[in-house]
Amino acid sequence: MFSRRIQNVDTSALRRVLSLISGGEVISFAGGVPSPELFPMEELRELVAEASENPLAFQYSSTLGLKELRDEIARYMERWGVRTSADEIMVTHGSQQGIDAVARTFVNPGDVVIVEAPTYFVALNTFQIYEPDFQQVPLDGEGIDIERLEDLLRRLKAEGKTVKLLYTVPTFQNPAGVTMSEGRRNALAELAEAYDFLIVEDNPYGELRYRGKAVKAVRAFAPDRTVYLGSFSKVFVPGFRIAWLNAPEELMERLEVAKQTADVCTNSFGQHVTLLFMKKGLLERQIERLREAYGPKMEAMLEALEEFMPENVEWTEPEGGMFVWLRTAKNTDELLEEAVKRGVAYVPGSAFYALDPRRDEMRLNFTFEQIDRIREGVRLLAELLT
Ligand SMILES: Cc1ncc(COP(=O)(O)O)c(C=O)c1O
């Protein structure tokens, strides 16, 4: 009855995560959603009332999205070192729809799609629908291991395979928390040129920086070959599902077809409220508020890891975002049930691999729980891992 394309998609990891984050007393490091107590409720009430005055907020918008919002977003991209214009912006329903639009537009069955190992598993599910030939490249503390990527590209070329695109979350990666250095962003851009593939840069966490220096987007290094995905989910609210795609102008017409045939346009009301939020300078204020709230939580988790974890456990040192990635000496799939019984949840690392999953890793979210529970949760985990 079901199509092969939908039947092929394994969503068990997502279901498992969703069931874990709904547990009451358990200290949850499993989530990845923003804290609702940090939503700017007062501003939202005012913006919603103001947007409601305008009948156009309830009309269809164009498929690319509200022109004024696209102008604001184009200006906003400058902070990531990207010079662009509204013609290169399409407003999407979440960056999730951006991923789908890219896959629909570019991936034929059997095309090579390179992903990071580990990577964001919902993106894997989305690409899977388009039946690609997944290949993966490992990460280290500075993002994609460029030498390994070059080896992979050489091997694929020798096998007569062409690479269609590479999907990366280069800044505060989900799940690993690491950020690709500018040197590597430049090297990635050069490889994309040499081997003629597209880069899909997914950057929903980029503004959540609590340490270190800002980096330029990958798109700043490879403007003609990068589709950049931005999102308001983590810096405003996810419920409006407002996000955007920023791509070279010559790709926009076909990307627009991909969106038009999916949902005609993005929800207009959310676009109008988001436009007001940006125009009034409230986005800046909210980003500041989030950094102040999340930064100390990240520091608390890193300190607790240092204090409680046994010698044979390693973890990444993020400069922002929402996640720390642990490599342990145990099978984290098998350990999960016992962890939840003892009162702490995480996401097993195996969920984040397109191929050959490692079973000794886990993703920890540090933005959801309060600091005292973060310490206690890390202590409980350390007991299990010792
Ligand atoms: C790497 C990554 N990409 C995309 C998304 C989807 O975000 P959005 O709410 O913009 O669809 C998420 C959400 O957690 C994510 O972690």
Side-chain angles (χ1 to χ4, degrees):
M1 175 184 182
F2 297 109
S3 71
R4 188 183 62 227
R5 101 178 58 82
I6 210 79
Q7 218 159 9
N8 279 346
V9 180
D10 175 8
T11 56
S12 53
L14 179 61
R15 279 202 307 276
R16 197 167 183 200
V17 173
L18 290 176
S19 73
L20 285 175
I21 53 180
S22 57
E25 277 311 294
V26 172
I27 297 175
S28 181
F29 297 143
V33 301
S35 310
E37 73 265 24
L38 291 169
F39 290 164
M41 293 307 293
E42 213 168 294
E43 289 100 324
L44 268 166
R45 272 188 285 272
E46 284 168 23
L47 299 175
V48 163
E50 188 175 338
S52 305
E53 299 289 320
N54 183 355
L56 290 180
F58 303 100
Q59 179 59 286
Y60 289 108
S61 80
S62 68
T63 299
L64 289 181
L66 207 61
K67 171 71 165 51
E68 268 188 282
L69 178 59
R70 286 156 50 223
D71 282 332
E72 283 290 331
I73 292 170
R75 268 197 293 281
Y76 172 90
M77 288 300 298
E78 279 172 28
R79 73 166 76 189
W80 284 92
V82 176
R83 296 183 54 144
T84 188
S85 70
D87 299 335
E88 298 189 326
I89 306 277
M90 180 165 83
V91 181
T92 59
H93 271 123
S95 42
Q96 182 55 40
Q97 185 179 48
I99 298 168
D100 183 70
V102 166
R104 292 180 93 185
T105 305
F106 299 105
V107 180
N108 285 316
D111 280 353
V112 173
V113 169
I114 301 180
V115 294
E116 295 167 321
T119 189
Y120 174 52
F121 57 77
V122 186
L124 288 177
N125 287 161
T126 306
F127 282 118
Q128 221 170 32
I129 294 203
Y130 301 92
E131 305 176 46
D133 172 3
F134 274 129
Q135 300 286 336
Q136 64 184 16
V137 60
L139 302 175
D140 62 21
E142 268 186 76
I144 289 178
D145 182 332
I146 293 289
E147 269 175 37
R148 297 281 293 275
L149 175 60
E150 203 163 357
D151 288 346
L152 173 65
L153 291 166
R154 239 183 260 125
R155 179 168 64 74
L156 291 169
K157 192 170 180 187
E159 290 170 9
K161 292 182 178 173
T162 50
V163 175
K164 185 57 77 71
L165 63 87
L166 177 146
Y167 169 77
T168 175
V169 185
T171 311
F172 317 136
Q173 206 244 12
N174 181 4
V178 297
T179 295
M180 201 189 300
S181 62
E182 288 200 344
R184 291 204 189 171
R185 287 171 195 238
N186 193 38
L188 173 60
E190 284 172 2
L191 287 175
E193 191 65 39
Y195 288 87
D196 192 22
F197 60 86
L198 270 181
I199 302 167
V200 181
E201 175 180 24
D202 190 8
N203 189 24
Y205 303 102
E207 296 299 343
L208 303 177
R209 174 176 285 282
Y210 326 120
R211 283 182 177 184
K213 242 177 57 223
V215 284
K216 286 192 190 134
V218 173
R219 180 142 209 264
F221 296 91
D224 300 333
R225 303 198 153 263
T226 307
V227 179
Y228 176 101
L229 306 175
S231 176
F232 290 101
S233 289
K234 303 301 194 294
V235 289
F236 182 24
V237 287
F240 287 132
R241 311 299 300 124
I242 304 294
W244 72 93
L245 170 160
N246 173 221
E249 200 174 346
E250 62 272 19
L251 305 184
M252 292 302 289
E253 189 198 320
R254 290 289 111 183
L255 284 163
E256 190 177 351
V257 172
K259 175 159 172 82
Q260 189 163 50
T261 51
D263 63 358
V264 181
C265 68
T266 298
N267 105 68
S268 299
F269 189 69
Q271 292 191 68
H272 278 263
V273 176
T274 304
L275 172 62
L276 290 173
F277 189 67
M278 288 188 94
K279 272 177 47 179
K280 291 174 190 278
L282 298 173
L283 177 61
E284 296 306 323
R285 210 202 288 172
Q286 178 66 4
I287 289 171
E288 213 31 61
R289 199 187 281 167
L290 294 172
R291 285 181 180 151
E292 280 167 19
Y294 293 156
K297 292 186 178 193
M298 181 181 84
E299 300 301 336
M301 179 168 276
L302 291 173
E303 271 167 36
L305 287 166
E306 198 63 58
E307 189 175 331
F308 297 120
M309 282 295 160
E311 293 258 311
N312 58 7
V313 175
E314 293 170 18
W315 56 90
T316 55
E317 288 257 330
E319 296 192 330
M322 295 193 166
F323 308 109
V324 176
W325 185 245
L326 256 67
R327 187 165 290 167
T328 73
K330 302 246 166 129
N331 180 317
T332 55
D333 284 309
E334 288 170 10
L335 200 67
L336 182 60
E337 208 173 313
E338 180 61 23
V340 172
K341 242 188 250 160
R342 296 210 200 172
V344 60
Y346 59 84
V347 185
S350 59
F352 299 94
Y353 286 88
L355 312 161
D356 314 322
R358 288 185 68 118
R359 309 237 169 240
D360 57 353
E361 297 166 319
M362 63 173 71
R363 187 189 77 177
L364 301 183
N365 165 273
F366 54 76
T367 56
F368 180 72
E369 295 286 358
Q370 298 307 321
I371 284 178
D372 53 336
R373 282 172 58 94
I374 290 175
R375 279 186 65 75
E376 176 59 10
V378 170
R379 197 189 61 75
L380 287 170
L381 265 183
E383 263 176 21
L384 272 166
L385 293 171
T386 301

